[in-house]
Amino acid sequence: MSPEKMVHMANQIATFFKSQPDEDQAERVAGHLRDFWEPRMRDQLKAYVAAGGEGLDDLVIEASERV
Amino acid sequence: MKDFIIPDDRDMGTPAREGAPVTLTIDGFDVTVPEGTSVMRAAAEAGISVPRLCATDSVEAFGSCRLCVVEIEGRRGTPSSCTTPVAPGMVVNTGSSKVRKIRRGVMELYISDHPLDCLTCSANGDCELQDMAGAVGLRDVRYAAPEGGALDNHFEARNTSGDNHRYLPKDESNPYFTYDPSKCIVCSRCVRACEEVQGTFALTIEGRGFDSRVSAGNPFDDFLSSDCVSCGACVQACPTATLQEKSVVELGTPEHSVVTTCAYCGVGCSFKAEMQGDTLVRMVPWKNGKANRGHSCVKGRFAYGYAHHQDRILNPMIRDNITDPWREVSWDEALSFAATRLRGLQEKHGAKSIGVITSSRCTNEETYLVQKLTRAVFGNNNTDTCARVCHSPTGYGLGQTFGTSAGTQDFDSVEHTDVVIVIGANPTDGHPVFASRLKKRLRAGAKLIVIDPRRIDLVKSAHVEAAHHLPLRPGTNVAVVTALAHVIVTEKLYDEDFIRTRCDWEEFQAYAEFVSNPRHSPEMAEELTRVPAAELREAARLFATGGNGAIYYGLGVTEHSQGSTTVMGIANLAMLTGNVGRPGVGVNPLRGQNNVQGSCDMGSFPHELPGYRHVKLPEVRKIFEDAWGVSIDPEPGLRIPNMLDAAVDGTFKGLYCQGEDILQSDPDTKHVAAGLAAMECVIVHDLFLNETANYAHVFLPGSTFLEKDGTFTNAERRINRVRRVMAPRNGYADWEVTQLLANAMGANWTYTHPSQIMDEIAATTPSFAGVTYDLLDEKGSVQWPCNEDHPDGTPLMHVDGFMRGKGRFIVTEYVATDEKTGPRFPLLLTTGRVLSQYNVGAQTRRTANSVWHGEDVLEIHPHDAENRGLNEGDWVKLASRSGETSLRAHVTERVAPGVVYTTFHHPDTQANVVTTDFSDWATNCPEYKVTAVQVSASNGPSEWQEDYAAQAEQARRILPAAE
């Protein structure tokens, strides 16, 4: 998928979990990605983060290490 | 079919009542019935049928025909048994010589104004007037014409003095039934059915006495131009040939019938398919059907003709490239072509390079097999279904809050509701039979709150008016729902007892603090939502304090960037007000297609196995690994939008798509087309060469719901039987086709009947553990969970506790969608559907339903139309950042200024070329309901539409079969 679309989708997930009173929001984001994103999509995200992760929410970057 | 005996569905004359038992004597027999029951119904309970014409048990008694008179000891005169309630100790005589004489006199009068053409009449053999003439022993009609003249009557076109001014010709304007005034006995059953059952009030009795006539709408109206919605309730109620299905006029009366389930919307109405051999004569709503209670809509009742439409494809076809014409081949050749291609793709591009889309229109058994195909034969989890684009946020949202992905009630529950919130749903068009049941309750005094950008019919129609209509700006559902919760929490209207015992009190505290923040007040929200704060406050107070509160919602909730969040917000509202776990309350998703619920239950989603259990769980995988003898991939598969993205990226190459037309139904048509075009093996399994088939390499002909056995699960979680009434015209039921494909790929499946598939489902899925075809035949239907704890099924969920234990309040922060209006695209487009058409229209467009809706039109407010110089009926261009199309404008105040609306029923409009690829944050459910658009004058179809039509025509070429 296009990087813009992936960034948009990942940031939407982060935006939701940021609004939640959880202690470990990054884990919630990572859990959502593990549960619903197919490995190809997670690989694309990790590769994108490794390449700088431009435009990604910090919470997504933190979560990407755990997917 | 022969195994199933249709239970007693006699007409009992008047509706059933609930109440304390009352015992009386009828013709010497003791009968005990509930208080309030009519004498007529009590007699019927005792097996005695009192003659009647104006009474039928679908409507309240009227007492006009005077045929049902009886004698009651100690009472004067001869009261009509239909309008006389039973009393303790009452002694009734239904057959005295006095009442026999009265009845014969009444019949004689009726027959004196009735044509005696019984042998050639379309109701011959199915006419209550004929039956009653026999029952009362009418042998003679003594009324004679005066010498040289004629008896005044309504049925002779001409008499000796010329044209008969009382004669009215047949009204054949409705495509499905005729109104023949010459056969009418003015019993008012049709008028009452239109009012009481359907709630449209389209019919009336015009004139008085001998001048009385049934009239649709105004004097200048016929049935088609009137408000009639063609639900068929009047036809059903008519005792004569006055209102008669055209199919019966053409074919004659049916000789046997089979109970089955409608294949249109998620209400899941039960019908009797009335047959002559394997010819379907008519579909009649079944009164013992627990979803519809004997009612129907124009789609289920009449729009079944697509099964025999000339467009139906009955032979398998293949082609090497999508630019080639189709080639008809044998089943063997098509299946081996498909299997070889799919296996070849997997060898070259990996096991995960292919996948399936299960159908929300096919049966549970068929859906189960398609997801099994990908999991057990393809060896991946690339399965998804149409629910992705409609109710996937319901699955996520209700799963998170309540612990299960389903509505909490049955449809009967609405009869106990005091306040109803309808949000993002248009039941009178989308779920018409439920809407009729809702309107009946509203007429009895329940209050209604409508939350919708459009002024849908429920806001104000005959004898129904919403207490509050909150016309929100599309995309601001979360802000509105959170503001409602703000009022309920800050004004302390919440049900503390319920929350303390049933929910997580800590989480409630956090939630209460969140919603109490002044930024969630209606006054602050108004800027975003455009909903007047005072109105919203009143609505919140009404819902919290008005008694049993029920929430019904549809795709106007789910198809947003924040669809899942709104579902959670709705669950929060229900928990806050203690409206879960008893009749009359609850959270009720109105499902779009007939088996959306079932396809989700059956493990169609790429992350979960049947019964909503995540594929990551080893104990769940083990159940299926043991049953199927394979190992199951523990990683989630691709969802539909992800499949298309992966196809464009070149890693997803093959798709088996059963009974769904993603090119027309899914958003951003150009992207869908690009994804399909990038695949090397697209298998479309459908009734027709749909739009997706333009990009397919293999076409496997499908079967209709009339041609196979199985089950559908409706929005109430009700598992209803689908029964075969004719052989599949294409040769195989759909479950057989999937099995043939699986076996062509080496699966060695050996199912010989869908009941065996249901047995496998029951053996592997706890919520279906008790379901068998025998049980369904015995009980008619059951609602899951159906297992050892709930052997008869579960009409109401979460009665003693939530499925997940404690209900969870979840914080619902409003986040504006990134689809924003601006100078280029200043209007917001929202999409939906109409009563007469269904989804992509593949079925309904191939029926006479198109007389009501022949093309998609754009609803636009007069203010916006005037600014653009547009008039009613003008061709307009509708453009977004995704694409543009053209259609005709309908100028109306149903939409607010700044909002436009259209439907997606017609491929030549292809409204989805305009919608975007934005989607729900949790589930990727597309944001169909919010697209920034511009509308301008146009001369006709856009260039894209012309290119599309040309490509479609090329893609649909079929070579003559080789001999």
Side-chain angles (χ1 to χ4, degrees):
Chain A
M1 95 186 98
S2 74
E4 297 79 28
K5 187 169 173 180
M6 182 192 65
V7 169
H8 187 257
M9 279 164 50
N11 286 351
Q12 277 182 295
I13 296 166
T15 303
F16 176 80
F17 286 109
K18 269 194 200 170
S19 74
Q20 299 302 302
D22 293 303
E23 283 178 9
D24 192 353
Q25 294 172 334
E27 182 50 35
R28 297 290 304 277
V29 174
H32 190 90
L33 293 172
R34 282 195 303 266
D35 280 356
F36 298 105
W37 280 32
E38 204 251 8
R40 262 170 275 194
M41 298 164 68
R42 280 152 35 204
D43 290 345
Q44 187 185 350
L45 177 68
K46 282 190 274 192
Y48 187 80
V49 171
E54 194 191 339
L56 279 175
D57 195 295
D58 288 345
L59 193 57
V60 176
I61 293 179
E62 196 186 335
S64 71
E65 290 160 16
R66 308 191 207 171
V67 301
Chain B
M1 180 179 104
K2 287 189 197 107
D3 305 331
F4 178 65
I5 310 296
I6 292 179
D8 182 10
D9 58 357
R10 276 183 305 150
D11 187 342
M12 306 297 280
T14 63
R17 290 284 185 262
E18 288 173 4
V22 172
T23 302
L24 68 162
T25 307
I26 301 178
D27 296 341
F29 298 98
D30 282 348
V31 192
T32 303
V33 292
E35 190 180 358
T37 302
S38 69
V39 170
M40 173 182 282
R41 189 175 177 103
E45 295 285 357
I48 297 163
S49 184
V50 181
R52 60 187 150 78
L53 282 170
C54 73
T56 184
D57 60 10
S58 63
V59 292
E60 293 299 325
F62 196 52
S64 81
C65 76
R66 314 312 296 176
L67 203 63
C68 71
V69 291
V70 292
E71 287 195 273
I72 299 174
E73 272 182 24
R75 295 203 187 180
R76 278 184 299 174
T78 50
S80 54
S81 62
C82 65
T83 53
T84 306
V86 296
M90 189 182 248
V91 177
V92 179
N93 186 343
T94 73
S96 68
S97 58
K98 184 175 176 186
V99 298
R100 284 171 188 277
K101 196 173 167 197
I102 294 173
R103 287 179 194 148
R104 201 176 286 197
V106 168
M107 271 315 289
E108 194 175 353
L109 275 166
Y110 270 114
I111 298 305
S112 71
D113 186 20
H114 198 81
L116 297 178
D117 59 353
C118 294
L119 287 181
T120 52
C121 176
S122 58
N124 186 13
D126 184 23
C127 173
E128 294 180 43
L129 188 67
Q130 199 176 42
D131 296 345
M132 290 307 119
V136 304
L138 183 70
R139 298 289 172 258
D140 190 17
V141 176
R142 294 162 297 172
Y143 300 98
E147 206 172 315
L151 266 187
D152 207 7
N153 71 64
H154 295 94
F155 60 84
E156 283 172 336
R158 296 175 63 81
N159 59 25
T160 49
S161 53
D163 286 342
N164 177 3
H165 73 282
R166 295 192 185 279
Y167 175 80
L168 294 172
K170 237 186 197 183
D171 176 350
E172 308 212 43
S173 60
N174 184 292
Y176 298 118
F177 63 86
T178 57
Y179 166 53
D180 183 353
S182 73
K183 301 267 165 90
C184 180
I185 59 169
V186 203
C187 62
S188 298
R189 273 158 67 159
C190 54
V191 176
R192 287 177 287 143
C194 191
E195 292 177 6
E196 293 177 34
V197 180
Q198 166 57 29
T200 292
F201 294 77
L203 301 182
T204 189
I205 300 286
E206 185 187 275
R208 295 177 179 195
F210 201 63
D211 294 331
S212 304
R213 312 305 287 258
V214 171
S215 172
N218 290 309
F220 48 82
D221 273 320
D222 56 21
F223 267 75
L224 191 61
S225 69
S226 74
D227 288 340
C228 167
V229 292
S230 198
C231 68
C234 58
V235 181
Q236 178 76 350
C238 181
T240 68
T242 310
L243 288 159
Q244 181 83 67
E245 295 90 349
K246 287 183 175 173
S247 59
V248 172
V249 175
E250 186 188 327
L251 296 166
T253 44
E255 45 78 22
H256 77 272
S257 63
V258 179
V259 173
T260 190
T261 304
C262 178
Y264 283 117
C265 79
V267 176
C269 295
S270 296
F271 277 86
K272 281 202 295 187
E274 298 198 338
M275 311 293 299
Q276 286 175 351
D278 67 352
T279 301
L280 178 58
V281 177
R282 63 178 171 189
M283 294 285 278
V284 178
W286 190 39
K287 65 194 269 190
N288 293 338
K290 289 179 185 137
N292 56 319
R293 301 286 178 195
H295 191 36
S296 61
C297 82
V298 62
K299 294 189 285 281
R301 178 76 152 91
F302 296 117
Y304 50 79
Y306 64 88
H308 285 83
H309 195 276
Q310 59 183 13
D311 286 353
R312 210 168 141 195
I313 304 290
L314 300 174
N315 295 309
M317 302 191 295
I318 57 172
R319 58 184 170 190
D320 287 322
N321 299 298
I322 58 168
T323 47
D324 298 338
W326 285 107
R327 197 155 54 83
E328 285 189 357
V329 293
S330 67
W331 278 97
D332 278 350
E333 187 176 349
L335 291 162
S336 113
F337 179 90
T340 309
R341 276 215 171 187
L342 290 176
R343 283 296 187 217
L345 289 171
Q346 285 191 300
E347 275 165 30
K348 200 165 151 197
H349 300 281
K352 296 188 180 187
S353 64
I354 61 174
V356 300
I357 296 179
T358 75
S359 178
S360 294
R361 299 180 199 169
C362 285
T363 63
N364 285 316
E365 293 76 3
E366 287 162 344
T367 300
Y368 176 87
L369 284 196
V370 176
Q371 62 88 33
K372 179 175 174 178
L373 175 70
T374 204
R375 294 197 156 111
V377 182
F378 295 179
N380 63 45
N381 286 311
N382 292 332
T383 171
D384 208 355
T385 188
C386 175
R388 174 65 49 211
V389 301
C390 66
H391 263 295
S392 51
T394 292
Y396 184 79
L398 294 185
Q400 294 289 314
T401 49
F402 293 168
T404 189
S405 165
T408 61
Q409 311 297 113
D410 56 9
F411 285 132
D412 285 350
S413 166
V414 76
E415 293 168 15
H416 306 281
T417 296
D418 300 308
V419 185
V420 181
I421 292 182
V422 172
I423 170 168
N426 184 12
T428 52
D429 285 55
H431 304 87
V433 169
F434 165 70
S436 289
R437 300 188 67 180
L438 170 62
K439 286 196 288 186
K440 188 168 191 171
R441 180 64 198 150
L442 295 173
R443 289 196 304 275
K447 298 281 190 294
L448 173 67
I449 298 162
V450 172
I451 306 176
D452 200 287
R454 288 199 314 149
R455 210 166 60 206
I456 58 172
D457 285 353
L458 278 179
V459 172
K460 194 172 189 320
S461 57
H463 299 270
V464 167
E465 186 167 7
H468 304 284
H469 175 213
L470 312 183
L472 77 177
R473 191 167 185 268
T476 61
N477 284 331
V478 170
V480 169
V481 169
T482 306
L484 288 168
H486 173 92
V487 176
I488 293 168
V489 170
T490 56
E491 297 188 7
K492 301 219 175 321
L493 305 175
Y494 53 85
D495 184 341
E496 187 171 333
D497 263 2
F498 181 91
I499 299 167
R500 279 188 183 276
T501 52
R502 301 288 304 276
C503 307
D504 186 320
W505 183 251
E506 297 266 308
E507 271 168 343
F508 170 71
Q509 297 289 327
Y511 173 77
E513 193 187 326
F514 162 78
V515 293
S516 301
N517 190 309
R519 71 198 162 90
H520 298 305
S521 69
E523 291 70 22
M524 293 293 280
E526 184 171 345
E527 274 178 47
L528 301 166
T529 64
R530 295 186 193 154
V531 175
E535 188 86 17
L536 190 145
R537 279 191 182 274
E538 285 302 320
R541 289 169 190 147
L542 173 62
F543 184 69
T545 62
N548 284 342
I551 306 173
Y552 291 85
Y553 73 90
L555 308 185
V557 160
T558 54
E559 289 175 348
H560 288 276
S561 286
Q562 279 201 290
S564 291
T565 316
T566 309
V567 173
M568 296 175 200
I570 286 172
N572 289 340
L573 280 182
M575 291 189 290
L576 269 183
T577 51
N579 278 315
V580 182
R582 62 179 191 277
V585 300
V587 173
N588 305 275
L590 293 169
R591 304 279 177 166
Q593 304 205 49
N594 51 323
N595 203 34
V596 171
Q597 180 72 54
S599 70
C600 296
D601 300 342
M602 291 298 105
S604 293
F605 286 145
H607 66 281
E608 58 196 11
L609 286 153
Y612 304 99
R613 293 165 292 170
H614 204 285
V615 291
K616 70 184 175 189
L617 302 171
E619 67 277 17
V620 178
R621 284 201 309 278
K622 182 164 189 318
I623 297 170
F624 291 93
E625 286 173 340
D626 290 348
W628 297 345
V630 296
S631 66
I632 292 173
D633 183 1
E635 290 287 355
L638 294 165
R639 300 169 286 193
I640 295 172
N642 312 145
M643 290 180 191
L644 295 165
D645 287 330
V648 172
D649 293 345
T651 66
F652 188 81
K653 291 287 187 181
L655 177 68
Y656 169 46
C657 180
Q658 182 179 71
E660 183 172 350
D661 192 359
I662 56 171
L663 185 59
Q664 189 179 341
S665 67
D666 286 29
D668 195 1
T669 307
K670 288 179 186 170
H671 180 64
V672 180
L676 288 169
M679 295 183 205
E680 291 173 23
C681 182
V682 175
I683 305 168
V684 167
H685 179 180
D686 207 288
L687 300 174
F688 305 104
L689 277 174
N690 61 19
E691 304 307 305
T692 306
N694 296 344
Y695 291 88
H697 307 83
V698 180
F699 185 92
L700 301 176
S703 53
T704 70
F705 76 112
L706 298 167
E707 298 164 339
K708 59 195 181 188
D709 283 302
T711 55
F712 292 150
T713 307
N714 75 354
E716 319 163 276
R717 297 167 277 108
R718 185 182 301 286
I719 306 162
N720 267 316
R721 270 300 310 275
V722 177
R723 293 188 176 86
R724 173 176 150 157
V725 299
M726 58 182 75
R729 294 183 64 220
N730 56 320
Y732 294 107
D734 294 325
W735 61 271
E736 293 176 286
V737 175
T738 303
Q739 172 161 285
L740 288 168
L741 178 62
N743 288 346
M745 295 180 75
N748 201 23
W749 293 353
T750 55
Y751 305 104
T752 57
H753 191 269
S755 62
Q756 298 160 350
I757 306 171
M758 181 54 84
D759 293 344
E760 185 174 315
I761 296 164
T764 51
T765 308
S767 51
F768 277 68
V771 181
T772 63
Y773 277 29
D774 287 343
L775 182 83
L776 294 173
D777 282 349
E778 180 196 325
K779 300 204 176 294
S781 63
V782 289
Q783 288 170 270
W784 66 257
C786 174
N787 47 32
E788 224 170 85
D789 296 339
H790 308 277
D792 296 333
T794 311
L796 299 176
M797 296 267 276
H798 318 301
V799 173
D800 299 316
F802 286 100
M803 290 289 275
R804 67 182 304 282
K806 293 276 186 184
R808 259 184 86 199
F809 282 95
I810 296 181
V811 167
T812 54
E813 187 75 64
Y814 168 71
V815 179
T817 170
D818 289 313
E819 181 68 10
K820 294 190 195 320
T821 52
R824 275 180 71 206
F825 302 114
L827 302 172
L828 284 179
L829 167 74
T830 183
T831 61
R833 54 178 164 173
V834 298
L835 170 66
S836 56
Q837 300 284 358
Y838 177 68
N839 199 265
V840 295
Q843 294 136 294
T844 45
R845 277 187 285 111
R846 292 180 172 94
T847 69
N849 274 29
S850 289
V851 304
W852 287 281
H853 184 86
E855 60 184 320
D856 295 321
V857 295
L858 185 77
E859 290 185 4
I860 184 169
H861 189 272
H863 176 77
D864 293 322
E866 190 172 322
N867 277 348
R868 290 165 177 76
L870 304 174
N871 295 309
E872 175 73 21
D874 283 358
W875 272 100
V876 296
K877 185 173 85 174
L878 175 68
S880 74
R881 64 183 169 85
S882 290
E884 62 184 52
T885 187
S886 300
L887 68 174
R888 289 184 192 278
H890 173 44
V891 180
T892 172
E893 290 182 346
R894 262 164 85 93
V895 287
V899 177
V900 293
Y901 170 88
T902 190
T903 49
F904 62 103
H905 300 306
H906 294 271
D908 37 9
T909 320
Q910 195 60 296
N912 279 321
V913 73
V914 177
T915 53
T916 71
D917 67 356
F918 283 148
S919 63
D920 174 47
W921 68 268
T923 65
N924 271 173
C925 178
E927 188 166 53
Y928 288 107
K929 302 295 184 183
V930 188
T931 309
V933 295
Q934 178 59 295
V935 175
S936 54
S938 153
N939 292 327
S942 68
E943 195 178 326
W944 181 84
Q945 279 168 296
E946 283 172 359
D947 290 350
Y948 181 92
Q951 193 272 343
E953 194 184 331
Q954 278 289 315
R956 290 202 173 107
R957 288 170 301 153
I958 301 174
L959 286 179
E963 288 301 322

